[in-house]
Amino acid sequence: MIKYVIRRFLLMIPTLIAISVISFAIIQAPPGDFVTSYVAQLVSMGEVVDPAQIEALRARYGLGQPIYVQYFKWMWGILHGDLGRSLQWNKPVAKLVAERLPWTVTISLTALIFVYVIGIPIGTISATHQYSIRDYFFTLIGFIGLAIPNFLFALILLWLYFVYTGNVAVGLFSPEFQMASWSLAKFVDLLKHLWMPGLIVGTAGTCGLIRIMRANLLDELQKPYVMVARAKGLTERKVLYKYPFRIAINPVVSTIGWTLPGLINGALLTSLVLGIPTIAPIFLNSLLNQDMFLAGSIVFILSFLTVIGTLISDVLLAWVDPRIREAV
């Protein structure tokens, strides 16, 4: 098992290198660069930009160098803990990410807990009570949750919250706690605001997990070994959790690798609607303004989360499924 984990960990290194090359090339692919976008904004405001000033800006940000030179300088900085400097914000990328990553992780973990704590039990109940009122109800809720986009769900919840409370649920803190130092009262206020983004971001994942868990468990419950177990007089609880549940949960465990970056990406429009200072809004702006170091660093972080999530999935699958554990 330890050799399997080490082997999977070593495979992460070339994977991350390949992803970094591809992402950096894609970000550089559109015509122009950050200075081009910046000059276009100045011209649209009626300002006259001197060509010498444009060249000075390119030299300042190192944009006149070949793309491979810019890439190797960026990677060399990453290896030394320097993600580069944001051209748009004129701040170190590491500082920008560090300011917003805690809120991103907080919302993502809240949504992740919501997805698995709600999705797995409801999917199990729906499968074990097939064609019952509960099954139809959860199926309906699942399809509605998958059909409604996150940003639309956020707007609906904002409207309902305002109608019933008279307050606007924007941000993660009430106005009186936004600039206050951390205390028990501020933490409680955070919990009061945290449920809404966690619910919105986790809704689609929860509904999808319900469908996956229900389908997998139904497939297992109809197999002959389950009928034999029932014929031997085992209780329904033992019949369910001895093998069918453990086998049906394998695909659920294997999707953890997609969940980590998916939750951060899924918070993009939700963060914009709710005014939450996560990574997602600055990632969108960096792509629009071709802020290559900020955009490339965030893509690298998301890729790293994907690879780490895949590693966690593989380890959990080997732990849950004896067949995989014996194979490794």
Side-chain angles (χ1 to χ4, degrees):
M1 186 68 175
I2 296 178
K3 292 182 179 179
Y4 171 73
V5 174
I6 294 174
R7 186 168 67 250
R8 296 293 298 172
F9 185 80
L10 292 176
L11 287 174
M12 291 170 49
I13 299 175
T15 303
L16 287 174
I17 293 175
I19 290 172
S20 67
V21 172
I22 295 172
S23 60
F24 196 83
I26 291 175
I27 291 170
Q28 292 277 30
D33 48 33
F34 171 77
V35 173
T36 305
S37 303
Y38 178 68
V39 171
Q41 292 178 4
L42 294 179
V43 172
S44 66
M45 297 169 61
E47 298 187 21
V48 179
V49 182
D50 185 17
Q53 184 181 0
I54 297 176
E55 293 304 319
L57 287 172
R58 292 187 190 278
R60 176 186 177 186
Y61 293 120
L63 300 177
Q65 298 174 332
I67 183 173
Y68 64 88
V69 175
Q70 297 180 43
Y71 168 76
F72 282 116
K73 288 179 65 176
W74 175 59
M75 285 301 297
W76 181 257
I78 288 179
L79 293 176
H80 291 79
D82 182 12
L83 298 177
R85 192 173 187 85
S86 171
L87 309 180
Q88 180 185 6
W89 294 81
N90 196 25
K91 289 183 178 180
V93 171
K95 183 177 180 181
L96 281 171
V97 172
E99 290 174 352
R100 294 171 176 262
L101 188 60
W103 303 122
T104 304
V105 172
T106 299
I107 294 174
S108 299
L109 287 178
T110 303
L112 185 66
I113 293 171
F114 177 80
V115 167
Y116 285 96
V117 169
I118 302 298
I120 293 177
I122 290 181
T124 304
I125 294 172
S126 186
T128 53
H129 297 78
Q130 188 181 18
Y131 303 135
S132 64
I133 296 178
R134 282 181 285 184
D135 183 25
Y136 286 124
F137 174 75
F138 292 138
T139 300
L140 176 63
I141 295 298
F143 282 127
I144 293 175
L146 290 172
I148 298 178
N150 282 348
F151 75 92
L152 180 58
F153 190 34
L155 291 173
I156 293 173
L157 282 183
L158 281 177
W159 177 74
L160 291 175
Y161 189 83
F162 177 76
V163 168
Y164 287 101
T165 66
N167 299 319
V168 179
V170 175
L172 291 175
F173 297 101
S174 302
E176 62 271 19
F177 289 104
Q178 288 182 357
M179 302 303 295
S181 58
W182 278 102
S183 62
L184 180 59
K186 185 173 183 177
F187 179 73
V188 173
D189 185 70
L190 172 64
L191 295 180
K192 291 180 180 179
H193 290 78
L194 191 59
W195 67 270
M196 184 175 291
L199 174 64
I200 294 169
V201 175
T203 298
T206 302
C207 296
L209 183 59
I210 290 173
R211 306 304 305 157
I212 293 173
M213 191 66 194
R214 179 184 183 276
N216 292 334
L217 193 54
L218 279 176
D219 183 59
E220 289 299 320
L221 289 175
Q222 295 172 3
K223 290 185 176 179
Y225 74 88
V226 177
M227 301 177 185
V228 172
R230 285 173 177 160
K232 289 184 176 180
L234 293 178
T235 63
E236 281 297 319
R237 186 180 183 86
K238 288 185 177 181
V239 170
L240 175 64
Y241 291 105
K242 182 65 175 178
Y243 292 111
F245 180 82
R246 294 172 59 185
I247 297 175
I249 206 172
N250 281 6
V252 175
V253 174
S254 65
T255 59
I256 291 178
W258 310 336
T259 303
L260 294 178
L263 289 175
I264 294 178
N265 289 331
L268 172 59
L269 294 177
T270 303
S271 300
L272 293 174
V273 172
L274 298 180
I276 301 174
T278 62
I279 288 179
I282 63 172
F283 181 40
L284 177 62
N285 289 330
S286 67
L287 293 174
L288 294 175
N289 293 281
Q290 292 183 262
D291 190 350
M292 56 186 180
F293 294 115
L294 179 57
S297 298
I298 294 177
V299 169
F300 188 80
I301 291 172
L302 293 177
S303 303
F304 181 75
L305 288 175
T306 304
V307 174
I308 289 295
T310 304
L311 176 64
I312 294 173
S313 298
D314 293 340
V315 173
L316 289 178
L317 278 174
W319 176 62
V320 171
D321 195 334
R323 296 170 300 178
I324 300 176
R325 187 165 58 247
E326 292 173 2
V328 301

